[in-house]
Amino acid sequence: MRTIKYISILILVIIIGVSIYIATIDGNYDIKQTRTIKAPVEIVFNEINDFKNWQNWGPWYETDSTIIASFDEVTSGVGASYSWTGKDGVGSMKTISLIPNKELIQQIDFGTGSTPEVYWQLNKVDNETEITWGMKGKSSFGEKAYWLYKGGIEKNMTPMYTRGLELLDSYLQKEMVKYSIESKGIVDYGGGFYLYQTTSSKMEELDEKMGKMFSAILTYMNKNSLEPSGKPFSINHKWDEENNTTMFSTCIPVKERIITSGDVLTGFLKPQKTFKTILKGDYKFLYEAWESAYKNLIEQGFTEIEGSEPFEVYTVSTHENINPAEWITEIYIPVN
């Protein structure tokens, strides 16, 4: 009996000692990881701001295939929330504040009595995004005991945040290079007046020069209170791959003929029959889109008008959507 008594007292002493030790552990924590992602900050923010998107890269889906996420009616912005069930229990999260393209503050509830703060911080670095994902709070006695058993909250959670940012980066890279090319066949293009500038350049300089020319035309229109009547477009006057040169015009449609001065001129695109192709995606796929357009044109028995000048219309560009996968460029080739 004495042996049992001594063992019981020893166990009690151990329990009291461990409890005192756990109680003295600092329960405050701030776990975070940072990664630089090659994507505009707007794309990164839009992705993490919507809880439905988290299924695309959430690291916990790799470790627990039983997770089932449930979404409320609002899944992005302040007030957005969702909940989940899995092998480790249930949880929920809601967004409590944000600064667009800079910060998200969320509150997570594991049903343990404490509600840690999950935070995202985004910094624009050129055309990339430095993103920090973290969680901070104070563990209850039970949580401190649990994490002590598991080896510490930092040891367990840090790899999860590291992997999450890695998966987020990988997912965004794949999404941004998605593209499609669709042949629409013969269409009648209405034409009309436009303001334009023309230049020649090396092919590698085309994008830079085009951007400056469109900016110059828009500046002229703003100074003269002129409104565009359609989407911007460019006309291909000459494409010389052998000499790596091109001649083109950047154009913005207007409702009527404008008497201009300086280096911005007025042109007229006549109504014509064209072969239309649509590229949805980054401009780096335009060469492939043009090749596809001419291939389909020939296969369908049409002939490009000799001496004609094909053109591109930028239906959705970076000004409407920062994500290159959402850009829409229409290619028109005049045909007989």
Side-chain angles (χ1 to χ4, degrees):
M1 291 295 292
R2 284 185 178 182
T3 302
I4 296 174
K5 180 179 179 180
Y6 290 147
I7 291 174
S8 299
I9 292 173
L10 179 61
I11 292 173
L12 180 60
V13 169
I14 291 172
I15 292 174
I16 293 172
V18 171
S19 298
I20 293 173
Y21 173 72
I22 293 173
T24 60
I25 294 174
D26 184 5
N28 294 303
Y29 59 85
D30 187 355
I31 305 159
K32 59 185 176 182
Q33 287 293 291
T34 299
R35 186 182 181 92
T36 298
I37 297 177
K38 292 183 178 180
V41 67
E42 295 87 350
I43 292 179
V44 179
F45 181 82
N46 288 339
E47 181 66 26
I48 65 174
N49 186 35
D50 193 330
F51 284 128
K52 284 186 176 179
N53 295 336
W54 290 32
Q55 299 174 103
N56 300 322
W57 44 265
W60 40 86
Y61 290 101
E62 285 188 331
T63 59
D64 184 359
S65 61
T66 69
I67 288 180
I68 299 176
S70 300
F71 300 97
D72 291 342
E73 184 176 346
V74 179
T75 60
S76 65
V78 176
S81 62
Y82 88 113
S83 59
W84 67 88
T85 62
K87 65 182 182 182
D88 293 325
V90 301
S92 64
M93 181 179 286
K94 62 181 178 181
T95 299
I96 57 178
S97 70
L98 63 80
I99 301 174
N101 306 321
K102 288 186 178 296
E103 181 183 81
L104 270 174
I105 303 296
Q106 297 159 331
Q107 191 177 69
I108 191 167
D109 186 350
F110 294 112
T112 59
S114 63
T115 52
E117 177 184 289
V118 173
Y119 61 91
W120 300 83
Q121 296 169 345
L122 294 85
N123 293 312
K124 182 177 181 180
V125 183
D126 296 326
N127 200 38
E128 300 180 350
T129 302
E130 182 186 73
I131 180 170
T132 297
W133 184 17
M135 180 175 71
K136 60 184 177 181
K138 185 173 184 177
S139 297
S140 65
F141 180 87
E143 289 172 326
K144 286 192 288 185
Y146 173 80
W147 288 119
L148 180 63
Y149 170 74
K150 286 286 189 176
I153 188 170
E154 289 83 2
K155 179 182 177 181
N156 284 269
M157 295 302 296
T158 299
M160 189 69 75
Y161 283 101
T162 301
R163 180 58 176 160
L165 292 178
E166 180 183 293
L167 291 171
L168 173 62
D169 190 355
S170 177
Y171 175 76
L172 289 177
Q173 301 312 313
K174 291 177 182 178
E175 287 297 300
M176 289 190 298
V177 296
K178 284 185 175 180
Y179 73 103
S180 63
I181 299 170
E182 180 184 7
S183 174
K184 304 298 287 186
I186 297 299
V187 299
D188 291 322
Y189 191 83
F193 291 101
Y194 59 88
L195 299 181
Y196 74 98
Q197 285 189 338
T198 300
T199 192
S200 298
S201 75
K202 295 290 185 180
M203 291 182 180
E204 60 269 19
E205 300 172 347
L206 188 150
D207 290 343
E208 181 181 357
K209 286 199 171 185
M210 186 176 289
K212 291 180 179 179
M213 292 161 68
F214 273 127
S215 179
I217 298 171
L218 287 171
T219 298
Y220 178 88
M221 294 178 70
N222 289 334
K223 287 182 178 180
N224 292 276
S225 301
L226 299 172
E227 293 292 332
S229 62
K231 296 294 183 178
F233 64 98
S234 65
I235 301 174
N236 180 21
H237 304 299
K238 185 178 180 182
W239 186 265
D240 187 350
E241 291 191 15
E242 183 176 348
N243 294 302
N244 192 40
T245 59
T246 180
M247 177 182 290
F248 64 94
S249 293
T250 56
C251 317
I252 297 180
V254 289
K255 292 181 179 179
E256 56 193 1
R257 183 171 181 269
I258 306 295
I259 305 300
T260 62
S261 59
D263 56 358
V264 175
L265 306 174
T266 299
F268 180 77
L269 192 63
K270 66 179 181 180
Q272 55 195 301
K273 184 169 71 171
T274 62
F275 191 88
K276 180 180 179 180
T277 300
I278 298 177
L279 165 67
K280 183 177 181 181
D282 200 319
Y283 298 139
K284 65 183 179 181
F285 301 114
L286 270 171
Y287 188 86
E288 182 180 341
W290 277 98
E291 284 189 324
S292 175
Y294 277 109
K295 180 176 180 291
N296 287 317
L297 182 152
I298 294 170
E299 288 179 349
Q300 294 182 35
F302 298 102
T303 304
E304 181 182 7
I305 296 175
E306 186 175 354
S308 66
E309 297 178 328
F311 52 98
E312 299 172 349
V313 178
Y314 308 107
T315 306
V316 177
S317 66
T318 184
H319 299 291
E320 289 85 23
N321 195 314
I322 195 69
N323 188 350
E326 299 297 326
W327 298 347
I328 297 176
T329 306
E330 299 175 353
I331 295 173
Y332 294 89
I333 303 172
V335 295
N336 292 310

